[in-house]
Amino acid sequence: MRIGRVVAGTVALAAATTIMATSESAAAGVTPRIGSDHTYSGRQNTLSVPLHKSGVAQHQYRVAVYTGNKAGAGTDANVYITIYGTRGSAGPIRLDNSANNFESGKTDRFTLGLRDLGRLKSIKIRHDNSGKKPGWYLNKVTIDGNASFSAYRWLAKDEDDHRTWVKLPRR
């Protein structure tokens, strides 16, 4: 990915906007994993991932994902979110960073640089059922501290309705 010029304090990316991810574990100084689709931004524990073609992030969405505090609630599967607003949607976006995300009783925080989606209406959150124990108990997701999406359910092939995804309205 090529990085474009700085425009009014915003880095314009030639191929995509960015996702910056942090978690409680990231504060311990864990170095991000860098892959072919990732770019290290230079700040500790900040990972940039291509998201869409528009090139310039207009809004930084702060996403907090709360995993339930139950036995086996955590997942090692890949987790994705799609955000729906009055001005469109964005996603699916993989929520990942260098930390061991989505563990029982933990809160993981991500910052997504996206175009302005307007007033947030709903989200779809899912996992790909990968890993040894992919089942996940999701409590809730908050975005920007004021948009809350309550789940309090299993996303698992062997629990409840056997789905690994859920669409949640704003509460």
Side-chain angles (χ1 to χ4, degrees):
M1 178 169 68
R2 294 177 291 137
I3 295 189
R5 62 174 200 231
V6 175
V7 180
T10 302
V11 176
L13 301 178
T17 58
T18 61
I19 173 176
M20 294 175 287
T22 60
S23 75
E24 295 166 347
S25 302
V30 179
T31 304
R33 293 175 300 221
I34 308 302
S36 61
D37 62 342
H38 296 78
T39 305
Y40 185 58
S41 75
R43 285 190 284 184
Q44 187 173 9
N45 301 315
T46 300
L47 186 64
S48 300
V49 180
L51 296 180
H52 62 78
K53 297 177 184 175
S54 72
V56 179
Q58 296 176 355
H59 189 86
Q60 297 293 313
Y61 291 95
R62 293 175 312 281
V63 177
V65 180
Y66 299 80
T67 298
N69 195 14
K70 295 179 176 249
T75 187
D76 292 323
N78 298 309
V79 174
Y80 299 85
I81 190 170
T82 302
I83 304 171
Y84 301 90
T86 56
R87 294 185 183 160
S89 64
I93 302 161
R94 182 175 174 200
L95 299 177
D96 190 28
N97 60 24
S98 62
N100 191 7
N101 296 311
F102 315 113
E103 294 300 315
S104 181
K106 299 292 182 186
T107 301
D108 297 287
R109 300 179 192 288
F110 305 87
T111 299
L112 285 69
L114 304 171
R115 61 186 168 79
D116 184 5
L117 299 174
R119 184 178 189 285
L120 301 184
K121 300 187 307 184
S122 63
I123 63 167
K124 180 179 179 181
I125 192 159
R126 69 176 181 89
H127 68 78
D128 64 4
N129 207 44
S130 64
K132 204 169 194 176
K133 291 187 176 183
W136 181 36
Y137 190 88
L138 173 64
N139 276 355
K140 67 179 179 177
V141 176
T142 62
I143 301 178
D144 289 345
N146 60 8
S148 186
F149 306 90
S150 298
Y152 297 97
R153 58 160 288 151
W154 284 98
L155 300 180
K157 293 275 187 182
D158 59 350
E159 298 280 350
D160 294 341
D161 59 6
H162 309 285
R163 291 187 314 182
T164 59
W165 65 273
V166 63
K167 189 163 182 183
L168 303 170
R170 183 176 184 163
R171 302 255 181 230

